Amino acid sequence: MATDIRTSELDKPVDLAEYLFRRLHEMGVRSVHGVPGDYNLVALDYIPKNGLKWVGNCNELNAGYAADGYARVNGISALVTTFGVGELSAINAHAGCYSEYVPLVHIVGTPSTISQRDGMLLHHTLGNGDFNVFANMAKEVSCAVARLDDPYTAPGVIDHTLRECWVKSRPVYIGLPTDMVLKKVEGNRLDTPIDLSDPPNRQEKEDYVVEVILKYLNAAKKPVILVDACAIRHRVLPEVHALVEKSGLPTFVAPMGKGAVDESLPNYCGVYAGDGSNEGVRERVESADLVLSIGAIKSDFNTAGFTYRVSQLSTIDFHSDHITVRFSEYPGVRMKPVLRRIIDLTDFSRFATSTGGPHDGSATAHNTLPPLSSADDPSAKNPQIINQAWLWPRVGQWLRPHDIVLTETGTANFGIWETRFPQGVTALSQVLWGSIGWAFGATQGAALAAHESGRDRRTILFIGDGSLQLSVQELSTMIRLGLTPIIFILNNAGYTIERYIHGMHSAYNDIAAWRHGQLLEVFGGKLPEEGRYYAVHTKDELEALLGEGEFNEAGKIQIVELFIPMEDAPRALKLTAESSARTNAKES
């Protein structure tokens, strides 16, 4: 058999698909989410050959959600879909990763290069011979787009694309034509890991920025630290933790930054979201003469309807690619090395001797259960009713160190603000993109990543009965993979968050009432070996369940249906919904 001349020139020939999946394994991916389709089938054969596990999902959107959750726990994830119909089904989840800075590698099996060149009228196309249209769509929500149509350049393109995904912490799109899967490429590059280090700051510029920051920090009398999502996404939590612990300064998180800080520390004070904050938190942050804001995303839901009242004149913003000191912006200066130098060069002891000390405790959340306080509290007339104001502090008392907690867009996303976490809890939410149904798919990915880590971590989901209906099929994937999340369904008869924005009693915010107790069996679970269901109507019933040893060990999938009044919602949600309604009603 004749030897391919081009292949004979390669020192270490490997198949292109093997190269790609070996690189993903190198970067920490162990499972690949997706849905099979005829344009990706041959590529899928390479997944188990390269130490990876295939996770077949129920549809591409759910697969994208699951890959999102996997990446938030694991650090990076991979998704495989097919051309056109598959990738477009996933593009909502893909865009959510872009919006929320989640590193996702989206691999799309595409028609062969010959078919594309000849403009053939193929299935899954628009019938116009344009094979670039879907990649062009993805370009708007990706930090890099790669088309692997040349075996000579493919290894370098793959390495560059994967590096962009990691460094920028955003999704990338890789188009893999069917006839390129088996093409031989140079494997020599696999001997050298991809350089995933951040580009260094220009030293002279970094020195100047550090000097400016230190000037304002040393002059401050009442500084505070405010941590947000990009501190998590851009991997500066070691620096954040060191700053919080060494400085002793009052430390707050934004809603999207929940879980970024060790909330068991004495100087952790709570969630700041403008008017959505509790009074002590709001007063302490807004009275600060300097706010060290790390990784801020100042979106509407993250600020309770743009109700931040912190002057830029008293703010230093640290970001992945720039730093802003008051109104002076320094592009190209990355926060990680700057934070490290601030920690090393600052004498924080003087703040401990200032009036009242660095932290007087007045702003701190303690998971204290609220008293019956007002006529509009649904538990005022019936103390056994489970209401939002009671639920979330109680959840904080129940959680264990290192739990993974997911909250769905809706009451759960806002209620969790009132929960103080034990040490090491990871909080996952989608506050900015806010695609309802995200959390159920993301729970599958998060639980899988936790299982692969080998650590004893419970995965816990809080989701509304409305959101559940969009992505519940992934329950079958969880069962098939042997995952054991605890799923709390907040049954408040529909879309409560939408009701507070508009249409409290409108039919479009109602949903069909499901028999949630039958879900585990419908999706293939064997009861009680593989799962259990609990219907919880009262506080006493929930107290008894939360104290049950077998339940807390989370050795099987457990669904807990909590019945909550339809019009009951966290205070922060009500305020944010009012603001959202006003914004929607503004005229040009």
Side-chain angles (χ1 to χ4, degrees):
M1 178 175 167
T3 302
D4 185 292
I5 295 176
R6 198 196 68 81
T7 300
S8 67
E9 297 172 353
L10 302 175
D11 291 333
K12 290 185 176 181
V14 297
D15 292 352
L16 193 158
E18 178 184 347
Y19 187 98
L20 174 58
F21 289 120
R22 282 178 63 178
R23 281 304 201 196
L24 288 173
H25 188 279
E26 172 193 307
M27 295 180 72
V29 174
R30 292 296 178 268
S31 293
V32 179
H33 291 85
V35 176
D38 60 335
Y39 292 130
N40 65 32
L41 292 176
V42 177
L44 298 185
D45 290 336
Y46 285 80
I47 290 177
K49 296 176 184 177
N50 291 283
L52 302 172
K53 180 178 180 179
W54 170 247
V55 181
N57 295 93
C58 298
N59 60 59
E60 290 87 356
L61 177 58
N62 287 355
Y65 289 156
D68 182 329
Y70 184 94
R72 295 186 193 222
V73 174
N74 181 65
I76 192 170
S77 66
L79 167 70
V80 178
T81 64
T82 198
F83 184 74
V85 294
E87 60 182 302
L88 292 189
S89 179
I91 199 168
N92 173 11
H94 184 124
C97 290
Y98 186 86
S99 172
E100 301 232 344
Y101 292 92
V102 177
L104 165 73
V105 180
H106 186 179
I107 301 164
V108 178
T110 69
S112 70
T113 56
I114 296 173
S115 298
Q116 294 187 48
R117 182 196 64 196
D118 294 345
M120 295 182 67
L121 190 61
L122 299 179
H123 62 287
H124 298 343
T125 72
L126 299 179
N128 60 2
D130 184 354
F131 289 88
N132 294 317
V133 60
F134 307 127
N136 289 338
M137 292 180 187
K139 182 179 179 180
E140 301 301 319
V141 289
S142 306
C143 67
V145 171
R147 297 175 176 87
L148 304 182
D149 53 10
D150 182 350
Y152 283 102
T153 61
V157 170
I158 290 171
D159 291 358
H160 169 76
T161 304
L162 296 183
R163 172 177 162 76
E164 288 291 287
C165 180
W166 180 264
V167 171
K168 294 183 178 177
S169 195
R170 273 184 155 161
V172 295
Y173 175 103
I174 297 177
L176 178 57
T178 55
D179 61 330
M180 292 294 295
V181 171
L182 302 172
K183 291 289 187 182
K184 298 296 182 182
V185 301
E186 181 55 72
N188 263 340
R189 297 177 67 109
L190 292 170
D191 296 335
T192 304
I194 299 173
D195 178 12
L196 300 178
S197 60
D198 291 332
N201 290 333
R202 186 176 146 202
Q203 194 60 52
E204 187 178 34
K205 194 172 185 180
E206 179 185 300
D207 291 344
Y208 177 75
V209 172
V210 169
E211 181 182 339
V212 172
I213 293 172
L214 289 175
K215 181 181 75 170
Y216 288 110
L217 181 56
N218 289 327
K221 303 297 183 185
K222 294 176 61 181
V224 300
I225 299 169
L226 178 58
V227 185
D228 207 345
C230 282
I232 304 170
R233 306 292 193 269
H234 293 286
R235 298 173 287 276
V236 297
L237 290 189
E239 288 73 22
V240 168
H241 295 162
L243 176 63
V244 171
E245 293 182 24
K246 181 180 178 182
S247 71
L249 294 175
T251 299
F252 305 83
V253 295
M256 289 180 69
K258 187 79 171 138
V261 172
D262 180 358
E263 298 184 12
S264 67
L265 291 173
N267 56 319
Y268 171 76
C269 301
V271 176
Y272 176 69
D275 290 351
S277 321
N278 72 47
E279 191 64 22
V281 166
R282 189 181 63 78
E283 289 180 0
R284 184 64 184 88
V285 173
E286 294 174 4
S287 66
D289 59 353
L290 183 66
V291 177
L292 301 177
S293 174
I294 305 173
I297 298 178
K298 299 176 184 177
S299 69
D300 52 354
F301 280 15
N302 206 33
T303 62
F306 303 112
T307 57
Y308 266 26
R309 291 183 177 85
V310 177
S311 171
Q312 188 62 42
L313 283 173
S314 59
T315 302
I316 298 175
D317 285 304
F318 298 84
H319 290 283
S320 62
D321 58 1
H322 72 280
I323 289 176
T324 302
V325 182
R326 304 178 83 181
F327 284 102
S328 298
E329 183 172 324
Y330 302 95
V333 180
R334 295 176 173 269
M335 61 178 161
K336 192 178 185 76
V338 172
L339 285 170
R340 176 52 59 187
R341 291 182 65 184
I342 297 301
I343 295 165
D344 294 340
L345 296 174
T346 303
D347 178 12
F348 291 103
S349 62
R350 72 179 190 85
F351 295 113
T353 59
S354 61
T355 303
H359 171 50
D360 61 11
S362 63
T364 304
H366 291 291
N367 287 328
T368 303
L369 301 182
L372 299 180
S373 58
S374 64
D376 62 355
D377 183 345
S379 66
K381 296 179 181 179
N382 182 355
Q384 279 299 309
I385 288 178
I386 299 172
N387 64 319
Q388 301 276 348
W390 177 86
L391 174 64
W392 298 106
R394 185 63 187 90
V395 166
Q397 296 174 352
W398 170 71
L399 292 175
R400 292 178 175 179
H402 308 293
D403 281 342
I404 299 170
V405 179
L406 295 97
T407 51
E408 178 59 85
T409 298
T411 57
N413 256 5
F414 292 89
I416 203 70
W417 299 5
E418 303 304 322
T419 299
R420 184 163 183 163
F421 290 156
Q423 183 181 25
V425 168
T426 297
L428 307 184
S429 63
Q430 202 190 48
V431 175
L432 179 54
W433 186 243
S435 181
I436 62 172
W438 166 85
F440 202 90
T443 296
Q444 182 262 290
L448 179 58
H451 175 73
E452 290 176 353
S453 74
R455 299 174 62 191
D456 183 17
R457 305 185 72 184
R458 301 187 303 181
T459 302
I460 302 161
L461 167 66
F462 294 91
I463 187 169
D465 53 338
S467 296
L468 176 78
Q469 295 191 2
L470 278 81
S471 50
V472 71
Q473 306 98 315
E474 289 316 304
L475 183 59
S476 66
T477 309
M478 298 176 197
I479 293 169
R480 176 166 51 83
L481 297 178
L483 304 176
T484 60
I486 301 174
I487 300 166
F488 289 89
I489 302 173
L490 310 185
N491 188 337
N492 48 16
Y495 299 125
T496 294
I497 184 172
E498 310 285 5
R499 296 186 195 278
Y500 271 94
I501 295 174
H502 185 78
M504 178 60 74
H505 298 287
S506 297
Y508 47 73
N509 285 325
D510 297 334
I511 61 171
W514 282 10
R515 297 190 180 108
H516 296 117
Q518 298 180 19
L519 288 177
L520 285 165
E521 290 184 285
V522 166
F523 286 109
K526 298 177 182 178
L527 304 185
E529 304 97 298
E530 294 180 330
R532 291 184 68 182
Y533 163 80
Y534 308 87
V536 178
H537 294 83
T538 68
K539 291 176 181 175
D540 283 350
E541 289 175 352
L542 183 57
E543 288 285 4
L545 181 61
L546 296 183
E548 186 181 297
E550 183 181 357
F551 174 77
N552 283 304
E553 290 308 309
K556 60 184 72 173
I557 295 180
Q558 298 176 104
I559 295 177
V560 182
E561 185 170 9
L562 302 179
F563 292 87
I564 297 175
M566 182 184 78
E567 296 184 23
D568 183 35
R571 171 180 168 274
L573 184 151
K574 296 177 183 179
L575 290 169
T576 305
E578 289 173 7
S579 175
S580 181
R582 288 194 300 269
T583 299
N584 292 343
K586 281 183 179 178
E587 297 182 2
S588 57

